[in-house]
């Protein structure tokens, strides 16, 4: 028996906050899939077979990031949380040939699933991948002093319990007028429901961290913000001071 649209919609990891699955499918089939670069399609399909595929960036968000990077003429970027590299590939394809992405993830194995596809697309030379926690790398960059305000764009899709810790460092590394994008800021819609609502364990665990981040970003005078219901919610922060 086919699953009802509503029940699918309530599944954790369902990558759309739209009111109907049919409407989301319409967006994908009308605007996203026909324009999706072949390499991104291949990586999306490979990732779909991975047991942790819920961690991937949705195809509509990949398209959004690709256009956003072109609009701001980004050249020097950073990504915290890579997984198999779908959003990383979207970024690499958008950057000029001499563009650079510092990409960090605690798991190189997942990155290596997507790496052959990234290499085949001819953009691997733009990526500096570092395996391990990002915070020590960020601290070292700040200590070095030469990375202040050097990044045009930073995308964070990693451990939600560290988002606030990332923000306190990234605000120093992104340039004035540059953007930081925090992924999953609507956290499967859990941020807007009562705390005693039934939800999966990992959704419940990270929910409070996401709520705290959203509150902190809303009152941070150093940034302008825009929260978008793309994918699982993405908040763009433009540094103004």
């Amino acid at each position: 028996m086919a699953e009802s649209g509503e029940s699918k919609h309530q599944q954790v990891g369902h990558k759309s906050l739209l009111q109907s699955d049919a409407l989301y499918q319409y967006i994908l089939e009308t605007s996203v899939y026909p324009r999706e670069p072949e390499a991104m399609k291949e990586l999306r399909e490979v990732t779909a077979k991975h047991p942790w595929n819920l961690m991937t960036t949705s195809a509509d968000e990949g398209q959004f990031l690709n256009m956003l990077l072109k609009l701001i003429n980004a050249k020097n970027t950073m990504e915290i949380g890579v997984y198999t590299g779908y959003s990383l590939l979207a970024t690499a394809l958008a950057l000029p040939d001499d563009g650079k992405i510092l990409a960090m993830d605690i798991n190189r194995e997942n990155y290596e699933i997507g790496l052959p596809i990234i290499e085949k697309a001819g953009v691997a030379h733009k990526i500096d991948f570092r395996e391990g926690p990002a915070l020590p790398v960020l601290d070292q960059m700040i200590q070095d002093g030469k990375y202040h305000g050097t990044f045009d764009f930073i995308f964070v899709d990693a451990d939600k319990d560290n988002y606030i810790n990332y923000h306190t460092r990234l605000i120093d590394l992104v340039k004035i007028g540059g953007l930081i994008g925090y992924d999953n800021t609507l956290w499967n819609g859990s941020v807007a429901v009562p705390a005693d609502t039934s939800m999966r364990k990992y959704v419940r665990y990270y929910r409070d961290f996401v709520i705290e981040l959203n509150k902190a970003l809303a009152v941070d005078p150093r940034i302008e913000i825009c929260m978008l219901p793309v994918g699982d919610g993405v908040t763009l922060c433009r540094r103004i001071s």
Side-chain angles (χ1 to χ4, degrees):
M1 185 176 150
E3 193 172 39
S4 78
E6 188 176 58
S7 68
K8 180 175 180 191
H9 206 78
Q10 288 162 355
Q11 281 178 11
V12 165
H14 178 54
K15 285 285 185 173
S16 173
L17 296 157
L18 289 171
Q19 287 182 342
S20 85
D21 296 311
L23 189 54
Y24 183 46
Q25 213 51 42
Y26 174 82
I27 292 170
L28 293 175
E29 287 168 12
T30 308
S31 298
V32 181
Y33 294 156
R35 294 295 191 108
E36 187 178 34
E38 197 52 46
M40 287 180 66
K41 179 179 185 229
E42 190 182 344
L43 182 48
R44 178 167 56 80
E45 287 171 351
V46 166
T47 304
K49 296 170 187 160
H50 193 271
W52 301 346
N53 60 41
L54 290 180
M55 286 165 49
T56 194
T57 301
S58 60
D60 53 323
E61 188 174 355
Q63 186 182 59
F64 168 70
L65 289 172
N66 183 275
M67 181 171 288
L68 179 67
L69 286 152
K70 290 171 180 169
L71 287 171
I72 66 172
N73 295 311
K75 194 169 174 181
N76 190 38
T77 73
M78 186 193 302
E79 182 161 325
I80 301 175
V82 171
Y83 185 42
T84 59
Y86 188 79
S87 55
L88 183 62
L89 179 55
T91 301
L93 289 168
L95 297 184
D97 196 55
D98 60 346
K100 291 277 174 266
I101 312 162
L102 171 61
M104 293 178 273
D105 198 289
I106 55 169
N107 189 324
R108 179 179 282 276
E109 215 173 284
N110 290 334
Y111 170 61
E112 285 176 350
I113 293 170
L115 187 55
I117 299 166
I118 291 168
E119 287 171 340
K120 192 166 69 175
V123 292
H125 66 281
K126 302 177 188 180
I127 299 165
D128 172 13
F129 180 84
R130 315 264 185 98
E131 184 178 29
L135 288 173
V137 179
L138 300 178
D139 285 338
Q140 187 58 54
M141 290 170 83
I142 290 166
Q143 202 178 323
D144 286 352
K146 59 184 180 189
Y147 297 100
H148 294 260
T150 56
F151 287 89
D152 304 313
F153 180 78
I154 300 170
F155 186 60
V156 184
D157 182 7
D159 42 337
K160 317 304 162 207
D161 43 347
N162 265 319
Y163 270 28
I164 290 265
N165 295 324
Y166 292 137
H167 185 67
T168 58
R169 291 155 174 84
L170 297 178
I171 196 72
D172 187 63
L173 297 169
V174 73
K175 72 178 186 184
I176 290 177
L179 285 179
I180 306 171
Y182 290 103
D183 204 19
N184 307 108
T185 51
L186 294 174
W187 201 229
N188 199 239
S190 67
V191 293
V193 299
D196 58 0
T197 305
S198 170
M199 57 187 91
R200 299 226 182 144
K201 264 186 192 166
Y202 86 92
V203 173
R204 180 176 304 287
Y205 176 76
Y206 289 115
R207 173 183 175 272
D208 290 347
F209 292 108
V210 175
I211 289 171
E212 283 311 305
L213 172 82
N214 291 340
K215 286 179 183 168
L217 296 180
V219 296
D220 188 335
R222 301 165 296 181
I223 53 173
E224 294 172 333
I225 67 168
C226 176
M227 183 185 259
L228 296 166
V230 176
D232 190 28
V234 59
T235 301
L236 297 178
C237 307
R238 179 174 175 266
R239 184 181 172 190
I240 54 173
S241 70

